[in-house]
């Protein structure tokens, strides 16, 4: 039985879940590397791991977030009295999990590669308007509510299943969200800041002081110390005639990967001091604000065309800094799903004057049109380019008269609020 089927069976039989809530498949399946979920709980085989995670509160969301401590800081203790699962059964589960993991591994030349779920532009930012659960890819590039798909009861809905059956293709979702971004993004004047930050980051790499070399040496010694500590634990267990722990071997492997990478960086560390004046001047030319804006407009254009995944990856940090979440709601029949966008983008648009917003949106659209015509060879001469620009200016003047009649509370048919807006 799958974890989802097991959860449904437990709920049907009235077995209470954690903290008295309904059972979910994630409580059973959990996360292998984090050791969460019933299938990965090592206390069932009489082993306790202390100091594995620490918890911190996010001041922005007021939510606790778990962070995994360094593996060398974990404390592994055998507690035989807690064992309820034999080693043979536990090992069968681990082997089965490994088999499933390999089937879904993107790097394997396996026929199930298509089931691998890469990180998309809006991954983990999507929420169902009805149950508050996540929207995720289900089927060929189409998002749907995961709670609805699993048909599991939702405590916040009084034990009922989510009724939001509305799905939306990834291309449509990303297109609708991206269409609202340029007018706001290109209005906040961030290109001087972006250029300065890029220059500073690259310059800092050029002027790394000798102290950094010493710091890298200390880090290397610390990794070697941790390796010796793990090796000592393995040796002690062998001398005590205790069974080997796969977890210790995994930690040792991870430390060796880190040590090898750091040693390689240390060997490649440049000792000569570059001509900083000339280098900084070269960086200023390369990261000129005007050039930065042109590059960003190009990336936005490619991303809005819908097929260029590399362009979407380039603008992903910007999109995620502007968009906190997108709430997807159902609509009657075959009407498109409602999208409610939350985050900094909503605050920016709420503060913009309606006429200013419409003008900036128009400029963003004609900029896209101009580049497309240029790439298609339709305006190869200066005369044709100027003629098109004059046509844009004339169209803008006519539209300004139309926009003056738009009420301040409505922008292109979408109501704006300080926290969110609808597309």
């Amino acid at each position: 039985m799958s974890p989802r089927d097991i959860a449904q069976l437990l709920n049907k039989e009235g077995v209470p879940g954690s903290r008295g809530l309904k059972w979910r498949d994630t409580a059973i399946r959990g996360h292998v590397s984090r050791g969460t979920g019933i299938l990965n709980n090592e206390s069932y085989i009489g082993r306790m791991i202390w100091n594995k995670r620490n918890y911190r509160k996010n001041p922005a969301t007021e939510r606790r977030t778990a962070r995994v401590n360094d593996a060398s800081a974990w404390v592994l203790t055998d507690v035989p009295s807690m064992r309820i699962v034999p080693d043979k059964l536990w090992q069968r589960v681990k082997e089965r999990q490994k088999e499933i993991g390999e089937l879904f591994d993107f790097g394997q030349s396996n026929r199930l590669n298509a089931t691998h779920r890469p990180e998309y532009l809006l991954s983990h930012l999507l929420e169902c308007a009805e149950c508050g659960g996540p929207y995720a890819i289900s089927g060929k590039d189409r998002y749907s509510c995961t709670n609805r798909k699993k048909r599991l009861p939702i405590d916040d809905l009084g034990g009922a299943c989510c009724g939001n059956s509305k799905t939306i293709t990834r291309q449509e979702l990303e297109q609708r969200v991206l269409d609202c971004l340029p007018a706001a993004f290109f209005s906040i004047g961030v290109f001087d800041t972006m250029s300065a930050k890029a220059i500073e980051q690259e310059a800092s790499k050029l002027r790394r002081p000798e102290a950094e070399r010493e710091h890298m040496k200390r880090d290397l010694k610390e990794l070697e110390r941790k390796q010796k500590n793990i090796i000592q634990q393995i040796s002690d267990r062998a001398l005590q005639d205790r069974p080997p722990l796969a977890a210790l071997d995994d930690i040792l492997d991870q430390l060796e990967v880190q040590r090898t990478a750091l040693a390689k960086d240390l060997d490649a560390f440049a000792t000569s001091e570059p001509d900083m004046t000339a280098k900084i001047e070269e960086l200023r030319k390369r990261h000129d604000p005007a050039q930065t804006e042109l590059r960003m407009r190009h990336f936005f254009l490619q991303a809005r065309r819908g097929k260029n995944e590399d362009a979407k990856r380039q603008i992903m940090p910007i999109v995620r800094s502007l968009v906190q979440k997108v709430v997807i709601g159902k609509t009657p029949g075959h009407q498109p799903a409602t999208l409610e966008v939350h985050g900094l983008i909503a605050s920016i648009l709420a503060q913009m004057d309606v006429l200013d917003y419409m003008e900036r949106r128009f400029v963003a659209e004609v900029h896209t049109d101009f580049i497309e015509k240029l790439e298609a060879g339709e305006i190869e001469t200066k005369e044709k380019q100027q003629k098109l620009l004059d046509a844009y200016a004339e169209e803008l003047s006519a539209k300004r008269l139309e926009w003056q009649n738009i009420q301040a509370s409505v922008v292109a048919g979408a109501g704006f609020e300080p926290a969110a807006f609808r597309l």
Side-chain angles (χ1 to χ4, degrees):
M1 296 178 67
S2 69
R4 182 176 64 179
D5 291 339
I6 295 172
Q8 289 177 337
L9 178 62
L10 292 171
N11 289 325
K12 184 178 179 180
E13 294 180 350
V15 179
S18 178
R19 297 185 296 279
L21 301 177
K22 300 292 184 182
W23 280 96
R24 308 296 300 277
D25 61 322
T26 50
I28 298 164
R29 181 178 64 249
H31 195 289
V32 177
S33 62
R34 296 175 189 165
T36 58
I38 288 178
L39 293 180
N40 308 297
N41 192 338
E42 296 198 44
S43 64
Y44 297 155
I45 56 171
R47 182 184 304 147
M48 297 296 293
I49 302 179
W50 301 93
N51 200 37
K52 191 172 185 178
R53 287 187 294 270
N54 67 79
Y55 294 87
R56 299 180 184 178
K57 181 178 284 189
N58 187 325
T61 62
E62 292 296 315
R63 292 181 179 178
R64 281 203 324 162
T65 56
R67 298 188 180 184
V68 179
N69 290 327
D70 189 273
S72 64
W74 297 356
V75 180
L76 285 73
T77 307
D78 288 326
V79 188
S81 61
M82 294 189 67
R83 177 187 289 276
I84 60 173
V85 174
D87 283 332
K88 186 176 291 186
L89 176 58
W90 176 266
Q91 196 57 40
R92 280 173 55 198
V93 172
K94 296 298 107 180
E95 290 172 358
R96 177 64 177 151
Q97 287 176 322
K98 184 179 179 181
E99 290 173 5
I100 294 173
E102 288 175 349
L103 288 175
F104 287 81
D105 187 353
F106 185 71
Q108 301 289 328
S109 57
N110 189 285
R111 63 187 180 87
L112 291 184
N113 273 350
T115 59
H116 177 73
R117 300 292 184 239
E119 187 81 6
Y120 293 126
L121 186 67
L122 298 172
S123 294
H124 312 304
L125 300 181
L126 307 176
E127 182 179 296
C128 174
E130 182 165 332
C131 69
Y135 255 65
I137 292 287
S138 61
K140 185 173 176 59
D141 263 7
R142 181 172 287 274
Y143 284 102
S144 66
C145 175
T146 57
N147 286 338
R148 164 79 181 186
K149 181 180 179 182
K150 293 174 182 177
R151 304 296 297 169
L152 293 175
I154 307 299
D155 292 281
D156 291 343
L157 298 179
C161 295
C162 179
N164 187 357
S165 58
K166 184 64 67 175
T167 64
I168 183 171
T169 65
R170 180 170 68 90
Q171 297 297 344
E172 179 192 344
L173 174 67
E174 293 176 350
Q175 180 77 34
R176 288 172 64 182
V177 173
L178 284 173
D179 281 348
C180 78
L181 293 182
F185 177 70
F186 292 109
S187 73
I188 56 180
V190 297
F191 301 108
D192 287 337
T193 304
M194 290 177 67
S195 297
K197 188 176 292 187
I199 292 170
E200 179 55 34
Q201 286 177 346
E202 293 196 32
S204 65
K205 294 177 183 178
L206 295 174
R207 65 167 81 97
R208 288 188 298 182
E210 182 64 24
E212 184 175 345
R213 175 199 285 271
E214 296 304 316
H215 183 71
M216 293 170 72
K217 287 182 179 178
R218 289 195 296 271
D219 286 346
L220 188 61
K221 287 182 179 179
E222 178 62 17
L223 284 173
E224 291 170 346
R225 185 193 66 76
K226 290 177 180 179
Q227 285 182 310
K228 290 178 181 178
N229 181 34
I230 297 298
I231 293 171
Q232 186 63 50
Q233 289 189 52
I234 295 173
S235 300
D236 291 345
R237 292 185 69 87
L239 290 173
Q240 296 166 12
D241 211 17
R242 296 161 68 191
L245 285 180
L248 292 175
D249 291 333
D250 291 341
I251 294 171
L252 193 60
D253 290 342
Q254 293 170 12
L255 289 173
E256 178 57 22
V257 170
Q258 296 175 32
R259 190 201 66 79
T260 303
L262 186 57
K264 185 177 180 181
D265 289 343
L266 192 58
D267 289 340
F269 192 96
T271 56
S272 59
E273 189 70 19
D275 182 357
M276 289 303 298
T277 303
K279 288 288 185 181
I280 294 296
E281 188 59 34
E282 182 183 331
L283 289 174
R284 287 200 180 108
K285 292 178 181 178
R286 191 192 314 164
H287 295 290
D288 176 69
Q291 293 298 319
T292 301
E293 180 174 356
L294 282 175
R295 283 196 295 271
M296 290 311 305
R297 286 191 181 276
H298 175 74
F299 285 135
F300 264 100
L301 170 61
Q302 296 298 320
R304 291 169 70 194
R305 284 175 172 172
K307 298 296 183 181
N308 192 321
E309 298 300 326
D310 182 61
K312 289 180 181 179
R313 281 191 290 271
Q314 294 287 345
I315 66 171
M316 187 179 290
I318 296 171
V319 173
R320 289 177 173 269
S321 68
L322 294 172
V323 177
Q324 180 185 2
K325 67 178 179 179
V326 180
V327 181
I328 303 173
K330 62 181 179 182
T331 52
H334 296 290
Q335 296 181 29
T338 62
L339 302 182
E340 190 175 85
V341 182
H342 296 248
L344 180 60
I345 177 69
S347 300
I348 294 171
L349 292 175
Q351 294 170 17
M352 289 176 67
D353 175 75
V354 175
L355 188 61
D356 182 43
Y357 170 80
M358 298 300 286
E359 183 170 325
R360 290 184 183 278
R361 183 167 180 171
F362 175 83
V363 170
E365 289 172 353
V366 299
H367 186 276
T368 298
D369 184 63
F370 185 87
I371 292 179
E372 287 179 339
K373 284 182 168 57
L374 194 63
E375 291 178 347
E378 298 177 19
I379 49 173
E380 69 279 4
T381 65
K382 293 288 185 182
E383 292 76 13
K384 289 183 178 180
Q385 293 172 16
Q386 188 58 52
K387 185 178 180 180
L388 181 59
L389 292 173
D390 292 341
Y392 288 147
E394 185 177 341
E395 185 180 356
L396 178 60
S397 299
K399 284 186 173 293
R400 282 200 182 106
L401 297 175
E402 299 176 16
W403 296 336
Q404 288 174 356
N405 298 321
I406 299 177
Q407 295 298 315
S409 61
V410 178
V411 177
F416 279 74
E417 301 171 2
F421 68 93
R422 290 198 172 198
L423 299 178

